[in-house]
Amino acid sequence: MVRQARILAQATSDLVNAIKADAEGESDLENSRKLLSAAKILADATAKMVEAAKGAAAHPDSEEQQQRLREAAEGLRMATNAAAQNAIKKKLVQRLEHAAKQAAASATQTIAAAQHAASTPKASAGPQPLLVQSCKVVAEQIPLLVQGVRGSQAQPDSPSAQLALIAASQSFLQPGGKMVAAAKASVPTIQDQASAMQLSQCAKNLGTALAELRTAAQKAQEACGPLEMDSALSVVQNLEKDLQEVKAAARDGKLKPLPGETMEKCAQDLGNSTKAVSSAIAKLLGEVAQGNENYAGIAARDVAGGLRSLAQAARGVAALTSDPTVQAIVLDTASDVLDKASSLIEEAKKAAGHPGDPESQQRLAQVAKAVTQALNRCVSCLPGQRDVDNALRAVGDASKRLLSDSLPPSTGTFQEAQSRLNEAAAGLNQAATELVQASRGTPQDLARASGRFGQDFSTFLEAGVEMAGQAPSQEDQAQVVSNLKGISMSSSKLLLAAKALSTDPAAPNLKSQLTTAARNDDLFTQLSLITMCTQQAPGQKECDNALRELETVRELLENPVQPVNDMSYFGCLDSVMENSKVLGEAMTGISQNAKNGNLPEFGEAISTASKALCGFTEAAAQAAYLVGVSDPNSQAGQQGLVEPTQFARANQAIQMACQSLGEPGCTQAQVLSAATIVAKHTSALCNSCRLASARTANPTAKRQFVQSAKEVANSTANLVKTIKALDGAFTEENRAQCRAATAPLLEAVDNLSAFASNPEFSSIPAQISPEGRAAMEPIVISAKTMLESAGGLIQTARALAVNPRDPPRWSVLAGHSRTVSDSIKKLITSMRDKAPGQLECETAIAALNSCLRDLDQASLAAVSQQLAPREGISQEALHTQMLTAVQEISHLIEPLASAARAEASQLGHKVSQMAQYFEPLTLAAVGAASKTLSHPQQMALLDQTKTLAESALQLLYTAKEAGGNPKQAAHTQEALEEAVQMMTEAVEDLTTTLNEAASAAGVVGGMVDSITQAINQLDEGPMGEPEGSFVDYQTTMVRTAKAIAVTVQEMVTKSNTSPEELGPLANQLTSDYGRLASQAKPAAMAAENEEIGSHIKHRVQELGHGCAALVTKAGALQCNPSDAYTKKELIECARRVSEKVSHVLAALQAGNRGTQACITAASAVSGIIADLDTTIMFATAGTLNREGAETFADHREGILKTAKVLVEDTKVLVQNAAGSQEKLAQAAQSSVATITRLADVVKLGAASLGAEDPETQVVLINAVKDVAKALGDLISATKAAAGKVGDDPAVWQLKNSAKVMVTNVTSLLKTVKAVEDEATKGTRALEATTEHIRQELAVFCSPEPPAKTSTPEDFIRMTKGITMATAKAVAAGNSCRQEDVIATANLSRRAIADMLRACKEAAYHPEVAPDVRLRALHYGRECANGYLELLDHVLLTLQKPSPELKQQLTGHSKRVAGSVTELIQAAEAMKGTEWVDPEDPTVIAENELLGAAAAIEAAAKKLEQLKPRAKPKVSPVPLLLHPHHGRMSPPSCLPLPRVLTLQEYY
């Protein structure tokens, strides 16, 4: 570190001189002043760094000095960036331009290769649609990327152009990565080798280009990030200017639409861009409130991007509108949006500099509200939208009549009012139906339908008010008014749903919501007709309601291309079965009650039948949709990050609840109901935000979801407090506080809903293929026939209820009933026959059986040496094909199993995808085997491929049986898990074989692909909450990174000595990096803050690029070992990888400095314990002598004071486990420093006792050793508990470790006080030993396995120490001499600890049976407990010596002896029948002979490899006798006979 600091200081000194030279040559005084200021700052930072480096060099072991040096170096880095910012930025932007060009060119080549591969006659249908779709997305992004490059090159000093290039590059990464994945997945399915190789190579090139683009964009973003706000403001201002020109062109009549623009497309783009801008504004407000300037700049950029799309869409709408007035309105409202958005960004820029200023935040919120209102006005100008808004206003104006306290008196009769109401209700229902249909048509259709709906609603409301005036009582009138209010609310929902659908016809679930709103409208219309004022014959109203409901749900069957509900396929089948039973009973009730004239029961039967028919139809429509999307050629819809409609519904419900809370006359029941609604919906919103935050990979979206959820939760909590106060006392003051508390909640929910409306978070609808539509037909036709017959049945039953004596009608009713039953039977049969995935499973099973037959034939041919080599393709290409196919198969194992468990609609897709890879895998395997010269390798390759195919076949059979039915999957769960495990193992075995073969041949393409895939996975795809803590991931990553460093060093060594061994090392490096990358993503999520997490991911990605380069060079050197240039490049790559490993370790250390300090501290404590063990060895040998004439009294006070300081440090350490990382690091370092001083002072105190008393010396050192060991355990427990909550097991373990620490320190203090007391020091030593044994026994009884295992022989050897210690303890108890007791205490401590350790290590040996392990652990525990009782009895005898107590010592010793005997028998059982006594002389002699034979054989092999030196001819030399050893040694020039081994003699 110090050496690098010197290099850095020299470099910065050169930079300072260069800056000064530039300042002197600068003509502009202002620029000269800036340069000199930067040079001064850089020089000061360099001086600080040099000072810190001197401190670190003077104290190389000081963690504090090293940390100061790191901080100084970081300050110097920041100063350097500031001084050379312009030059660095220019260089980074140029690098980004180059990377963007390469990425665009590679993407274009990949698209061309994909199109060529798809056009070949041998192309498979496999994942081709996914590849084509990803190519389309990338093709749309390429012009934007190219435009960004051109803009940056044309304006090299423009921040806006640079930021536009960065944004285009970042937007290109995700679709580019998806195209690479799709291309790689498609390669094995392309049978034309030339096309497949071309596509594979293009995909590799694009992957490399994307990696470079990602790195360049990240570094350019860091350099240019602070300019985002200014750039966004500049973009918006330019858009304003452009829009002014458009307005001028419109006034002159010169505004023309661009090619490809249509009214529908432009209107939809305008609606989507409005949502995107609203979402970006909500994000901007959240980031500014938190003071995150960088993320606020990104949000401002998103606002500007959305406004650019909005301006373009507004121009298109205006150009396609013939009415000049409408043109002017559209352009004026769009201009107003841009103007207010410009003000918003300016206010955001000011507020970002003062995040805590409430006035700035208030101004920003007001400007944002103005922008939102302007956006709403802009959308309302669209054709059709204005008419819907007019209809909404008409509904609102008409509904105001219901708010008056008194209704106008009716002038007509009751029959006239009833007739008008019925007529108006029918008209309103018809208008609602037309509105639903028009929302999917043209804007003109929507305009007409919404206008009629508004008129019909006004007419209906007038008739309803008139009917309410005819009500005989106040209660009846209130009921009618309540029903009319319900209709008003439902009508508004219907208009809003129609408006939303017309704006975005492709939005998922909007059609089903519109249908639901229409059915609700029907429901409220029914309610108005079911009042006691509109009297009808019993049963007639139920028939009318049922017919309306059937008419509404019929539309679900017209084009079922969207999910109706969340039911699974088999849930739909269960629903159909259940509703069919209910319908059958209801139809029986209808006929019987109509015949008997029981009209009330008849009405109930009609209502029951109507509900069953609606549920039946919904289930049939959902089943038809699932059948359609389950077809392999269809594309299932993708669930969005959030469901915007859920947020909209929750927003509306919360607004209504808050509105009711603000009403002066709300009752206690209304208050509680509103509070329940608010709590329910806010809780749902917060849960949705939590899930969305966990699933998204976008850091800004993640932060915004979390922040929005916090705002909603906090404002809800404040509102609940005021509601509780209001519930306690309904005073005007409490009502006012409650109304005031609703405002922040409504604002927070509005912001969240606006942010969630971003189209980026929306779902992607399904695309059903023609084959899928054909499969849907039987279900749809049966359901339609059933509905038609059911409608006819209800109409006929309605007439029969009035006139049951009509025989012809009864025969018609019977006919309808029969048709309904037949249709239901056909539907159930069709659903069972069309169960998703079954046909695909059968096809896949047949394909796999065919592959197995081909493999069997190839195996037979290989056995008979008749497998002809495949021509036209290389061995490397065949291995690559196999490896790619196996990787794709491995990715599908778990998704296929999940589909088989509970996702029937996905089963066919996954089965078909997996099956299509086995044919190319089989062909490649047979081809690779035919080109393999070694017969065993041939058979191994074919057998492993066959094993994989057989395990896949078993999985397919099990999946077919499970079928995606959760009820059936419960019975097949075990078989499914077993099949998955078998297939996973087969994939791993075959992959290992292929990688080993590839590495041996120097083929590294697959390894580089694996590394690249691991790099990309760090940025792609969201994941759930991390399962472990940061410390867990950090520990694993540090270990893996160090393993990578070791492997890299070995590669450098092997490059000089054995280049042919580089392949396995490269394979090891690839797998190690894969493990490191898999841990980096959760580690980044679990980090203390996002900046640290992002830093870790970037460092790991940089390491991955270095590893990929190193693996490539290793492959090249392996193919050409004599190439000195390649060898030099490999060494350079290895140096870079080692450097990047250190960067990863530094990033991990920065992520948790406290836990890293704990790791360092634990290591230091381990060194202290080892040093104390060495000191104990010297003391036991009697060589620990005092220095001079010192006594123990000279050290007693120092030991006591240091021990007390250690107790205080321990308290601070435990307290900071839940604190900051900085404080935790300081506490750990302080504890280590204190224990070091304590160990030193205790060693000096022990030495002062003199070598003539070694046992007391050992007692004292053992006491401080126990303290050090307890501190090491405490530090480890603190590391594990860092950041954990109070109920975590790690916190509980920390508390236990702290108790043990206190106990051991107390024991040390007692030992120190008793050392010079001849009467008690033995007793104290025995007490310390018993406490130590109890702690060792607790570790022994813990479920954690030991770090290593040992043999039963070692275990038996350790039991002999117990026998000696037992005899010593009995002797000490009988003599009661303190010297004997001290010796017993020291011997017992060592003997019991060694026995427990050896017992556990031997018991956990992998070859030991579980019952034997339990037996050994049981008797080990019994032995330790028995020995503890013996020591306790010795202690009691010392305190109160008596003959009776001394006699009892024999009984305790016998118990220990019995436990030792059981332990030896358990050890014999561990060894089994082959066990022999290791102390047997015969066994010892045999082992010595076997060892000698092995040594002789090894020497013989080495001698065989020796070559004689080249010498001139010499005469034969007799054997010489070695003068020192007395053995004959032959000269090296003579031939040596092979030495026979001992086994050969036998």
Side-chain angles (χ1 to χ4, degrees):
M1 188 182 290
V2 175
R3 183 173 67 253
Q4 294 295 330
R6 292 195 186 101
I7 298 172
L8 184 60
Q10 181 61 44
T12 51
S13 176
D14 294 341
L15 180 60
V16 168
N17 293 332
I19 293 175
K20 287 181 178 178
D22 288 346
E24 291 174 358
E26 181 65 48
S27 58
D28 189 344
L29 294 178
E30 181 65 21
N31 288 339
S32 177
R33 186 185 62 78
K34 289 181 179 179
L35 287 171
L36 290 174
S37 175
K40 183 178 183 303
I41 294 172
L42 185 57
D44 293 343
T46 304
K48 288 181 182 179
M49 196 272 297
V50 170
E51 193 67 29
K54 289 180 181 178
H59 305 87
D61 297 329
S62 173
E63 180 72 23
E64 183 179 357
Q65 292 293 338
Q66 291 180 7
Q67 182 61 26
R68 287 181 181 174
L69 179 56
R70 291 191 192 96
E71 293 174 355
E74 179 64 20
L76 179 57
R77 185 186 69 82
M78 295 174 65
T80 305
N81 286 343
Q85 185 176 13
N86 291 333
I88 293 174
K89 187 191 301 181
K90 187 175 182 180
K91 184 177 180 181
L92 291 175
V93 171
Q94 288 176 350
R95 181 185 173 189
L96 178 59
E97 290 172 357
H98 178 71
K101 287 180 184 178
Q102 293 294 326
S106 299
T108 305
Q109 292 173 358
T110 305
I111 292 172
Q115 290 173 346
H116 182 266
S119 63
T120 57
K122 295 182 180 180
S124 170
Q128 295 289 332
L130 183 61
L131 178 59
V132 171
Q133 183 181 1
S134 61
C135 287
K136 288 180 180 177
V137 177
V138 172
E140 294 175 356
Q141 293 289 331
I142 290 176
L144 300 178
L145 186 63
V146 173
Q147 183 180 355
V149 173
R150 289 175 178 171
S152 177
Q153 291 177 336
Q155 298 175 315
D157 297 327
S158 170
S160 299
Q162 294 169 355
L163 292 171
L165 174 60
I166 293 172
S169 301
Q170 291 174 340
S171 301
F172 187 78
L173 290 173
Q174 186 175 8
K178 288 184 178 179
M179 187 170 75
V180 170
K184 289 181 178 179
S186 299
V187 166
T189 67
I190 300 172
Q191 298 180 11
D192 182 56
Q193 294 303 321
S195 300
M197 292 179 65
Q198 183 186 15
L199 181 60
S200 176
Q201 188 60 44
C202 289
K204 288 180 183 178
N205 295 340
L206 178 57
T208 305
L210 288 175
E212 179 64 27
L213 181 64
R214 178 182 286 106
T215 304
Q218 287 171 353
K219 293 184 177 180
Q221 174 71 36
E222 293 173 0
C224 305
L227 305 174
E228 291 276 15
M229 283 278 193
D230 295 331
S231 174
L233 185 59
S234 174
V235 168
V236 175
Q237 290 172 348
N238 290 334
L239 288 175
E240 286 188 82
K241 295 178 183 177
D242 295 341
L243 204 57
Q244 293 299 325
E245 296 177 2
V246 172
K247 290 169 72 174
R251 283 194 299 268
D252 298 338
K254 297 179 181 179
L255 186 59
K256 303 295 180 184
L258 299 177
E261 285 186 340
T262 62
M263 178 59 77
E264 289 75 12
K265 180 180 181 299
C266 292
Q268 185 174 346
D269 290 346
L270 186 62
N272 288 337
S273 59
T274 302
K275 293 177 183 177
V277 171
S278 299
S279 177
I281 289 173
K283 190 193 306 181
L284 176 63
L285 295 178
E287 299 299 346
V288 170
Q290 297 177 63
N292 300 313
E293 289 193 41
N294 288 338
Y295 287 111
I298 295 173
R301 184 186 68 192
D302 293 342
V303 171
L307 289 172
R308 183 185 287 110
S309 301
L310 184 142
Q312 184 65 29
R315 182 204 177 282
V317 170
L320 292 162
T321 303
S322 57
D323 188 350
T325 306
V326 175
Q327 277 187 344
I329 294 175
V330 170
L331 294 176
D332 286 342
T333 53
S335 179
D336 186 41
V337 169
L338 294 176
D339 179 56
K340 289 181 168 52
S342 178
S343 303
L344 173 68
I345 295 175
E346 289 179 352
E347 287 295 334
K349 185 179 177 182
K350 295 176 185 176
H354 307 85
D357 185 9
E359 186 176 346
S360 298
Q361 297 294 329
Q362 187 175 2
R363 282 199 309 271
L364 183 62
Q366 291 174 351
V367 177
K369 197 168 186 179
V371 176
T372 303
Q373 292 172 352
L375 286 170
N376 292 334
R377 288 194 297 270
C378 185
V379 175
S380 298
C381 293
L382 290 173
Q385 299 292 309
R386 297 189 303 274
D387 302 277
V388 176
D389 289 335
N390 293 335
L392 281 168
R393 279 193 294 272
V395 170
D397 294 339
S399 301
K400 290 179 181 177
R401 299 178 58 186
L402 301 175
L403 300 177
S404 61
D405 296 332
S406 60
L407 297 175
S410 178
T411 56
T413 62
F414 178 84
Q415 287 76 15
E416 292 174 352
Q418 181 184 14
S419 176
R420 280 195 293 272
L421 182 57
N422 287 335
E423 183 180 351
L428 184 59
N429 275 326
Q430 183 62 31
T433 303
E434 291 180 1
L435 181 64
V436 171
Q437 295 172 351
S439 62
R440 299 167 185 167
T442 63
Q444 292 75 15
D445 296 336
L446 180 62
R448 287 192 296 270
S450 57
R452 180 184 169 185
F453 185 87
Q455 295 174 0
D456 288 349
F457 178 82
S458 299
T459 304
F460 169 79
L461 198 67
E462 289 179 4
V465 170
E466 185 178 359
M467 177 61 83
Q470 295 279 355
S473 65
Q474 285 294 112
E475 291 79 6
D476 296 336
Q477 187 179 78
Q479 182 66 34
V480 175
V481 171
S482 176
N483 288 336
L484 292 173
K485 286 182 179 179
I487 294 172
S488 174
M489 181 68 67
S490 179
S491 298
S492 299
K493 289 181 180 178
L494 178 63
L495 287 168
L496 288 172
K499 181 179 179 181
L501 182 62
S502 66
T503 306
D504 190 5
N509 299 327
L510 283 184
K511 292 183 181 178
S512 59
Q513 287 170 23
L514 181 63
T515 304
T516 303
R519 289 177 61 189
N520 288 338
D521 198 57
D522 284 338
L523 175 62
F524 284 114
T525 306
Q526 296 159 21
L527 288 175
S528 71
L529 299 173
I530 300 176
T531 58
M532 45 77 61
C533 303
T534 56
Q535 301 294 332
Q536 287 185 357
Q540 298 298 299
K541 55 188 178 230
E542 287 84 355
C543 291
D544 293 339
N545 296 340
L547 291 172
R548 289 192 190 96
E549 289 185 358
L550 295 185
E551 188 65 29
T552 303
V553 298
R554 185 191 304 275
E555 191 175 347
L556 296 175
L557 299 171
E558 292 301 326
N559 191 19
V561 294
Q562 287 189 346
V564 179
N565 46 46
D566 296 329
M567 281 197 296
S568 66
Y569 186 81
F570 291 96
C572 293
L573 182 57
D574 292 340
S575 176
V576 166
M577 299 284 289
E578 182 180 348
N579 282 308
S580 64
K581 293 177 183 177
V582 175
L583 182 59
E585 295 173 359
M587 287 167 59
T588 304
I590 289 171
S591 61
Q592 288 179 354
N593 291 315
K595 185 180 294 183
N596 299 330
N598 297 327
L599 296 185
E601 291 81 358
F602 171 80
E604 292 177 3
I606 289 289
S607 298
T608 303
S610 175
K611 290 180 182 177
L613 287 166
C614 289
F616 193 100
T617 306
E618 288 183 359
Q622 175 72 1
Y625 165 76
L626 293 175
V627 168
V629 298
S630 66
D631 186 87
N633 297 316
S634 299
Q635 294 183 19
Q638 297 180 13
Q639 185 181 4
L641 195 61
V642 294
E643 188 60 61
T645 52
Q646 177 198 358
F647 283 71
R649 286 196 299 269
N651 190 359
Q652 189 175 16
I654 291 171
Q655 285 182 352
M656 293 175 61
C658 291
Q659 184 179 357
S660 65
L661 285 172
E663 292 179 357
C666 63
T667 63
Q668 185 178 23
Q670 290 175 332
V671 168
L672 295 178
S673 174
T676 303
I677 292 172
V678 168
K680 172 186 172 183
H681 287 284
T682 52
S683 175
L685 288 178
C686 291
N687 285 333
S688 298
C689 288
R690 179 180 59 82
L691 294 174
S693 174
R695 288 169 54 196
T696 182
N698 185 344
T700 55
K702 186 186 294 289
R703 292 165 55 83
Q704 185 59 36
F705 276 120
V706 172
Q707 183 61 27
S708 298
K710 287 181 181 178
E711 293 176 359
V712 171
N714 293 336
S715 53
T716 303
N718 294 333
L719 178 61
V720 169
K721 289 180 183 178
T722 61
I723 290 176
K724 287 181 179 178
L726 180 62
D727 185 46
F730 280 82
T731 62
E732 192 58 37
E733 182 182 357
N734 287 343
R735 289 183 188 276
Q737 290 179 353
C738 190
R739 279 194 296 271
T742 59
L745 175 61
L746 292 175
E747 183 179 357
V749 172
D750 282 339
N751 290 337
L752 176 57
S753 299
F755 177 67
S757 65
N758 192 334
E760 177 187 348
F761 306 144
S762 298
S763 303
I764 299 176
Q767 296 180 4
I768 298 179
S769 64
E771 295 85 354
R773 292 182 181 274
M776 294 161 52
E777 281 301 312
I779 297 176
V780 174
I781 291 173
S782 298
K784 284 184 176 180
T785 305
M786 183 272 301
L787 267 187
E788 292 174 2
S789 300
L793 185 144
I794 292 174
Q795 288 179 345
T796 306
R798 178 183 181 184
L800 288 172
V802 178
N803 181 18
R805 300 181 183 278
D806 190 350
R809 287 188 183 275
W810 282 109
S811 62
V812 173
L813 182 69
H816 286 307
S817 177
R818 193 179 309 109
T819 306
V820 169
S821 299
D822 293 342
S823 300
I824 291 174
K825 291 177 183 177
K826 286 182 181 179
L827 177 62
I828 294 173
T829 304
S830 298
M831 290 182 67
R832 285 176 174 164
D833 292 341
K834 296 289 182 181
Q838 295 300 305
L839 181 61
E840 288 80 8
C841 284
E842 293 174 0
T843 305
I845 288 170
L848 257 68
N849 281 323
S850 175
C851 292
L852 284 171
R853 286 193 293 270
D854 293 342
L855 289 169
D856 286 336
Q857 292 175 1
S859 298
L860 291 173
V863 169
S864 58
Q865 302 292 329
Q866 295 179 355
L867 188 60
R870 183 175 170 184
E871 302 296 337
I873 188 169
S874 65
Q875 178 90 352
E876 178 184 352
L878 290 168
H879 273 232
T880 303
Q881 287 181 7
M882 287 188 68
L883 196 57
T884 306
V886 171
Q887 286 177 348
E888 295 301 328
I889 290 171
S890 68
H891 295 159
L892 290 167
I893 295 175
E894 194 52 46
L896 192 151
S898 300
R901 292 187 189 102
E903 298 178 29
S905 61
Q906 290 295 311
L907 182 60
H909 289 273
K910 303 306 177 187
V911 166
S912 300
Q913 288 176 18
M914 178 179 284
Q916 71 182 347
Y917 289 112
F918 274 93
E919 183 181 355
L921 174 63
T922 302
L923 291 173
V926 174
S930 69
K931 287 179 171 290
T932 302
L933 300 178
S934 170
H935 179 67
Q937 290 181 2
Q938 270 188 343
M939 298 308 298
L941 192 63
L942 292 173
D943 288 344
Q944 288 184 345
T945 307
K946 185 178 176 182
T947 302
L948 177 58
E950 289 172 345
S951 61
L953 190 63
Q954 182 62 36
L955 178 60
L956 288 180
Y957 277 121
T958 310
K960 183 176 184 297
E961 184 180 355
N965 186 355
K967 295 180 180 178
Q968 183 67 23
H971 304 295
T972 59
Q973 180 67 26
E974 186 175 350
L976 196 61
E977 293 295 336
E978 183 180 353
V980 168
Q981 184 178 359
M982 288 174 56
M983 192 168 179
T984 303
E985 292 174 356
V987 164
E988 290 174 354
D989 292 343
L990 185 55
T991 302
T992 303
T993 301
L994 292 172
N995 284 335
E996 289 176 354
S999 60
V1003 179
V1004 296
M1007 302 179 201
V1008 174
D1009 287 345
S1010 298
I1011 294 175
T1012 305
Q1013 185 178 4
I1015 294 172
N1016 294 337
Q1017 284 176 349
L1018 287 172
D1019 284 329
E1020 293 176 3
M1023 63 171 286
E1025 292 293 331
E1027 297 178 358
S1029 65
F1030 180 83
V1031 178
D1032 302 330
Y1033 297 117
Q1034 181 193 36
T1035 305
T1036 306
M1037 290 182 68
V1038 167
R1039 184 167 58 248
T1040 309
K1042 289 181 179 178
I1044 289 175
V1046 171
T1047 304
V1048 169
Q1049 192 59 42
E1050 289 184 14
M1051 292 179 73
V1052 173
T1053 304
K1054 296 295 183 185
S1055 67
N1056 293 314
T1057 59
S1058 306
E1060 68 277 0
E1061 297 181 16
L1062 284 173
L1065 291 174
N1067 196 9
Q1068 179 65 37
L1069 178 63
T1070 302
S1071 59
D1072 284 343
Y1073 180 76
R1075 285 193 293 273
L1076 181 71
S1078 66
Q1079 294 288 311
K1081 194 169 185 178
M1085 293 185 65
E1088 195 171 14
N1089 57 58
E1090 285 188 14
E1091 184 178 357
I1092 291 174
S1094 177
H1095 193 52
I1096 290 172
K1097 285 204 298 185
H1098 292 167
R1099 292 304 186 192
V1100 172
Q1101 286 177 329
E1102 290 176 359
L1103 174 60
H1105 297 317
C1107 290
L1110 179 59
V1111 168
T1112 303
K1113 297 303 177 186
L1117 184 61
Q1118 197 173 357
C1119 295
N1120 190 5
S1122 61
D1123 189 348
Y1125 184 73
T1126 303
K1127 187 180 297 184
K1128 182 179 178 182
E1129 286 185 330
L1130 184 142
I1131 295 173
E1132 179 62 23
C1133 288
R1135 186 191 64 76
R1136 291 174 186 166
V1137 171
S1138 299
E1139 182 180 343
K1140 289 174 180 177
V1141 167
S1142 65
H1143 293 168
V1144 171
L1145 294 174
L1148 291 170
Q1149 185 174 357
N1152 249 3
R1153 183 169 172 255
T1155 53
Q1156 187 62 37
C1158 287
I1159 295 172
T1160 306
S1163 177
V1165 171
S1166 298
I1168 293 171
I1169 294 173
D1171 180 57
L1172 291 173
D1173 283 332
T1174 305
T1175 307
I1176 290 173
M1177 290 173 58
F1178 283 111
T1180 305
T1183 57
L1184 188 62
N1185 299 312
R1186 65 168 64 91
E1187 296 180 3
E1190 62 180 1
T1191 63
F1192 184 76
D1194 299 334
H1195 302 285
R1196 183 187 296 111
E1197 282 302 316
I1199 295 173
L1200 296 178
K1201 288 181 180 179
T1202 310
K1204 290 179 181 178
V1205 173
L1206 181 62
V1207 171
E1208 295 301 320
D1209 288 344
T1210 301
K1211 291 180 182 178
V1212 175
L1213 182 66
V1214 174
Q1215 291 170 356
N1216 287 321
S1220 67
Q1221 290 291 310
E1222 192 68 28
K1223 291 182 179 179
L1224 181 59
Q1226 293 174 359
Q1229 292 164 3
S1230 177
S1231 299
V1232 171
T1234 306
I1235 190 64
T1236 303
R1237 292 198 304 272
L1238 181 62
D1240 291 341
V1241 72
V1242 169
K1243 284 193 294 185
L1244 291 173
S1248 68
L1249 293 173
E1252 61 273 8
D1253 192 5
E1255 297 295 344
T1256 306
Q1257 287 180 327
V1258 171
V1259 168
L1260 188 59
I1261 298 171
N1262 272 330
V1264 74
K1265 179 184 170 185
D1266 290 344
V1267 172
K1269 189 174 181 182
L1271 179 61
D1273 294 341
L1274 179 63
I1275 290 173
S1276 299
T1278 305
K1279 177 176 74 74
K1284 302 287 180 63
V1285 293
D1287 57 350
D1288 194 277
V1291 177
W1292 180 80
Q1293 181 62 36
L1294 175 62
K1295 293 178 180 177
N1296 285 346
S1297 299
K1299 291 178 183 177
V1300 172
M1301 179 71 188
V1302 172
T1303 301
N1304 288 355
V1305 172
T1306 305
S1307 176
L1308 171 65
L1309 296 177
K1310 290 180 180 179
T1311 302
V1312 169
K1313 292 177 181 177
V1315 158
E1316 294 181 321
D1317 187 352
E1318 296 294 335
T1320 61
K1321 65 180 182 181
T1323 304
R1324 177 65 219 135
L1326 201 59
E1327 289 175 350
T1329 296
T1330 56
E1331 179 60 33
H1332 175 76
I1333 292 175
R1334 286 190 174 90
Q1335 293 176 9
E1336 291 289 334
L1337 187 58
V1339 174
F1340 177 82
C1341 295
S1342 67
E1344 294 183 8
K1348 63 177 183 177
T1349 59
S1350 60
T1351 62
E1353 289 86 352
D1354 295 334
F1355 177 28
I1356 293 173
R1357 198 174 292 114
M1358 291 301 175
T1359 58
K1360 295 186 176 180
I1362 303 293
T1363 305
M1364 296 173 58
T1366 304
K1368 196 88 171 176
V1370 173
N1374 286 323
S1375 68
C1376 292
R1377 296 176 62 240
Q1378 292 292 319
E1379 293 79 5
D1380 294 341
V1381 174
I1382 292 175
T1384 298
N1386 291 334
L1387 182 61
S1388 301
R1389 169 192 289 261
R1390 186 170 59 253
I1392 294 295
D1394 290 346
M1395 183 275 295
L1396 291 175
R1397 176 186 53 78
C1399 178
K1400 193 165 187 178
E1401 289 178 354
Y1404 275 88
H1405 195 279
E1407 296 180 1
V1408 175
D1411 56 335
V1412 178
R1413 177 185 298 125
L1414 293 176
R1415 177 183 170 190
L1417 294 176
H1418 170 72
Y1419 285 110
R1421 188 167 54 251
E1422 285 295 315
C1423 181
N1425 287 327
Y1427 199 87
L1428 278 173
E1429 291 182 7
L1430 174 62
L1431 292 183
D1432 289 340
H1433 195 79
V1434 171
L1435 196 59
L1436 182 62
T1437 306
L1438 284 174
Q1439 294 169 351
K1440 299 177 181 179
S1442 67
E1444 293 82 6
L1445 291 176
K1446 292 182 180 181
Q1447 289 176 359
Q1448 294 175 10
L1449 288 171
T1450 306
H1452 288 292
S1453 66
K1454 286 182 179 179
R1455 178 186 173 188
V1456 175
S1459 299
V1460 171
T1461 304
E1462 294 289 347
L1463 279 175
I1464 294 175
Q1465 293 176 356
E1468 294 175 358
M1470 289 181 193
K1471 192 64 179 174
T1473 56
E1474 300 178 359
W1475 181 80
V1476 292
D1477 186 358
E1479 302 297 330
D1480 189 343
T1482 306
V1483 175
I1484 294 174
E1486 185 178 351
N1487 288 337
E1488 292 292 335
L1489 284 173
L1490 290 173
I1496 292 171
E1497 186 172 3
K1501 289 181 179 179
K1502 289 184 179 179
L1503 289 172
E1504 285 178 354
Q1505 297 173 359
L1506 293 177
K1507 296 180 180 179
R1509 298 175 183 172
K1511 289 186 177 181
K1513 292 182 179 180
V1514 294
S1515 57
V1517 180
L1519 294 178
L1520 303 177
L1521 188 66
H1522 199 285
H1524 298 293
H1525 302 293
R1527 66 169 184 257
M1528 290 184 293
S1529 56
S1532 59
C1533 61
L1534 295 180
L1536 291 172
R1538 191 171 69 85
V1539 182
L1540 295 178
T1541 64
L1542 188 64
Q1543 289 85 344
E1544 290 173 326
Y1545 279 119
Y1546 290 138

